[in-house]
């Protein structure tokens, strides 16, 4: 069996949801070993957390720059091979760029950077380095999302003509209506989160899901945002009309103030032969709709599913698989790429997906700011 890949982690300490998601996902397929980390900018908290989760403390570093400097002193067969960047958004670009320039592979949370220009610079750095770069659009790891992608690629829906994706959450309700709270949360601070909250955090997932499943690129869009309060500079709700082609259109709906909603990501793709619908909160069910036949339901683990779907399924039919498994499938694809093994290009989102995501975010902000006009994507 191949040796485990040496993994470094930046951020994700304490009670971070993203941190535990990445750590568990990296262990699920037995491909990685956490070798070094900077979990927290406070070194005492950093060391305490490493001890809490039983990670050896000899390579827990005071900060990111020290980590890179010290790791580069080690022989190639000892140093960290790939780093997961789980920090607040504004740190993604400088960290990922320095990692690439020093020969590390990168697994980066989204949005990949805070600006489209940074994303393009990072893409150039990745091309120059030749390193593997994955962006964790986690939901692409679900077996039934992968099945959706393969069925559309195989022409099961015929010509796609309508797409509809939404991502509804309600968590900011407890913050946005209190002036003091909304002024202190990093996701509502443009200096730390970038130019968008709602579209930058969750709307970009819906965007990515459309392009991932259909294989089509969104060419232009028109956005309308809601900020709720004059002093709030970040969108917390928005609707985006999209055009993928002359006769392929749709909508992205995204909200962080959809009261009572938890993690309501859903996507529907409509073609002239049929339609497919999937919801993240019920991830084991992929619905095929038709004008002439009863609704069909596809479920994970069955032989009728595609190779890509089955490759991301770990349990027999009827055993639920969820968000940890989805993220683990992305880590599995990255492991195959790092080892130079054959892999399906749908196994993990790449730096191109990250660049497209920033292009989308900035286009939505520009469209809304300019009076809800149509804006072209590159």
């Amino acid at each position: 069996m191949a040796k485990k890949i040496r993994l470094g982690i930046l951020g994700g300490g304490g009670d971070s949801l993203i941190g535990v998601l990445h750590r568990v996902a990296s262990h699920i397929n037995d491909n990685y070993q956490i070798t070094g980390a900077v979990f927290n900018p406070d070194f005492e908290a950093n060391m305490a957390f490493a001890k809490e989760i039983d990670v050896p403390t000899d390579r827990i570093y005071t900060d990111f720059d020290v980590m890179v400097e010290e790791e580069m002193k080690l022989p190639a067969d000892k140093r960290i091979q790939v780093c997961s960047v789980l920090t607040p958004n504004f740190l993604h670009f400088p960290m990922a760029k320095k990692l690439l320039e020093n020969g590390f592979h990168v697994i980066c949370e989204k949005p990949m950077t805070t600006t489209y220009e940074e994303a393009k610079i990072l893409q150039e750095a990745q091309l120059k380095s030749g390193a593997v770069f994955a962006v964790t659009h986690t939901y692409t790891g679900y077996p039934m999302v992968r099945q959706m992608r393969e069925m559309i690629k195989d022409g099961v829906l015929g010509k796609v003509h309508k797409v509809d994706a939404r991502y509804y959450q309600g968590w900011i309700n407890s913050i946005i209506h209190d002036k003091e709270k909304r002024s202190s949360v990093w996701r509502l601070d443009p200096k730390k989160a970038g130019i968008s909250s709602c579209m930058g955090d969750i709307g970009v997932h819906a965007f990515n899901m459309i392009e991932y499943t259909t294989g089509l690129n969104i060419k232009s869009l028109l956005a309308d945002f809601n900020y709720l309060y004059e002093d709030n500079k970040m969108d917390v709700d928005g609707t985006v009309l999209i055009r993928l082609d002359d006769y392929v259109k749709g909508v992205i709906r995204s909200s962080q103030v959809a009261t009572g909603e938890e993690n309501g990501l859903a996507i529907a793709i409509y073609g002239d032969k049929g339609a497919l619908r999937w919801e993240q909160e019920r991830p084991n069910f992929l619905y095929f709709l038709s004008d002439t036949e009863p609704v069909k339901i596809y479920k994970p683990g069955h032989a009728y599913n595609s190779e890509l779907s089955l490759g991301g399924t770990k349990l027999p039919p009827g055993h639920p698989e969820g968000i940890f498994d989805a993220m683990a499938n992305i880590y599995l694809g990255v492991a195959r790429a790092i080892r130079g093994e054959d892999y399906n290009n749908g196994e993990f989102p790449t730096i191109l997906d990250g660049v497209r995501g920033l292009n989308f975010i900035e286009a939505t902000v520009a469209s809304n700011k300019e009076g809800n006009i149509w804006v072209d994507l590159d």
Side-chain angles (χ1 to χ4, degrees):
M1 180 178 176
K3 289 183 178 179
K4 288 187 177 181
I5 294 167
R6 297 178 295 281
L7 173 67
I9 295 184
L10 300 167
D15 60 357
S16 165
L17 167 64
I18 287 299
V20 68
L21 177 57
H22 280 262
R23 291 194 305 275
V24 172
S26 71
H27 285 297
I28 283 179
N29 293 294
D30 296 319
N31 283 305
Y32 298 87
Q33 179 67 47
I34 298 176
T35 304
V38 181
F39 294 115
N40 192 293
D42 178 276
F43 185 60
E44 288 187 8
N46 190 18
M47 289 291 282
F49 185 71
K51 292 174 183 176
E52 180 183 331
I53 63 172
D54 200 26
V55 171
T57 58
D58 59 323
R59 285 159 80 176
I60 300 300
Y61 298 101
T62 54
D63 61 44
F64 167 67
D65 291 323
V66 169
M67 183 178 107
V68 173
E69 182 181 348
E70 292 301 314
E71 287 292 320
M72 292 303 294
K73 294 177 182 177
L74 299 173
D77 63 346
K78 299 295 183 184
R79 76 175 68 120
I80 289 168
Q81 295 169 271
V82 57
C83 269
S84 293
V85 181
L86 316 181
T87 57
N89 300 352
F90 72 102
L91 293 172
H92 292 182
F93 171 69
M95 286 183 168
K97 185 171 182 288
K98 187 166 184 174
L99 288 168
L100 291 172
E101 290 171 346
N102 283 277
F104 296 94
H105 304 291
V106 178
I107 298 171
C108 186
E109 263 298 324
K110 41 66 33 205
M112 184 175 74
T113 61
T114 57
T115 71
Y116 182 38
E117 186 60 33
E118 286 178 346
K120 290 188 288 186
I121 293 171
L122 205 56
Q123 186 178 31
E124 291 178 4
Q126 186 269 331
L127 288 172
K128 185 176 180 180
S129 73
V132 175
F133 196 109
V135 180
T136 52
H137 282 290
T138 317
Y139 309 107
T140 63
Y142 278 109
M144 290 297 93
V145 171
R146 295 178 169 198
Q147 177 66 16
M148 193 178 196
R149 172 189 172 98
E150 295 300 288
M151 289 176 71
I152 293 171
K153 185 191 296 184
D154 290 343
V156 174
L157 301 191
K159 177 176 168 37
V160 172
H161 54 234
K162 170 74 174 178
V163 299
D164 187 329
R166 65 168 170 82
Y167 202 150
Y168 283 177
Q169 296 177 340
W171 72 273
I172 268 184
N173 263 328
S174 63
I175 297 166
I176 195 69
H177 304 297
D178 183 311
K179 182 171 174 39
E180 185 176 339
K181 287 182 178 179
R182 68 174 175 263
S183 300
S184 61
V185 175
W186 76 263
R187 286 201 179 276
L188 294 177
D189 181 352
K191 293 180 181 178
K192 295 181 178 179
I195 60 174
S196 170
S197 176
C198 184
M199 283 299 156
D201 186 31
I202 59 176
V204 69
H205 275 305
F207 163 83
N208 175 260
M209 286 286 282
I210 289 172
E211 294 202 336
Y212 177 82
T213 56
T214 66
L216 302 172
N217 284 344
I218 294 173
K219 295 181 177 180
S220 60
L221 57 80
L222 184 153
D224 186 26
F225 288 172
N226 192 351
Y227 295 79
L228 288 188
Y229 294 97
E230 188 174 347
D231 65 294
N232 174 44
K233 305 303 180 185
M234 301 283 273
D235 55 297
V236 292
D237 179 87
T239 302
V240 185
L241 299 179
I242 58 175
R243 294 171 177 166
L244 295 90
D245 212 334
D246 290 344
Y247 300 103
V248 187
K249 301 184 180 183
V251 63
I252 292 173
R253 297 165 288 147
S254 185
S255 182
Q256 294 168 319
V257 291
T259 306
E261 294 283 357
E262 297 174 343
N263 205 48
L265 172 63
I267 183 169
I269 310 295
Y270 301 92
D272 60 4
K273 294 181 181 178
L276 288 167
R277 185 174 65 215
W278 179 85
E279 299 178 24
Q280 197 275 153
E281 292 183 352
R282 287 168 284 276
N284 282 353
F285 300 90
L286 175 62
Y287 298 90
F288 177 79
L289 313 176
S290 169
D291 289 329
T292 59
E293 299 177 14
V295 174
K296 294 180 181 177
I297 302 175
Y298 290 75
K299 297 178 68 179
H302 292 279
Y304 55 66
N305 287 318
S306 66
E307 184 177 339
L308 179 61
S309 174
L310 291 170
T313 305
K314 299 162 193 65
L315 299 170
H319 294 74
E321 299 193 33
I323 191 74
F324 287 99
D325 305 274
M327 181 69 87
N329 286 335
I330 290 174
Y331 270 80
L332 176 59
V334 172
R336 288 172 176 157
I338 289 173
R339 289 173 173 152
E341 300 171 1
D342 290 337
Y343 65 95
N344 186 301
N345 64 8
E347 289 194 53
F348 62 90
T350 67
I351 199 164
L352 178 59
D353 296 284
V355 173
R356 291 286 299 165
L358 267 297
N359 194 184
F360 166 77
I361 292 166
E362 290 199 356
T364 61
V365 172
S367 172
N368 180 78
K369 184 178 180 180
E370 297 300 320
N372 317 114
I373 64 171
W374 283 97
V375 174
D376 292 337
L377 277 70
D378 291 343

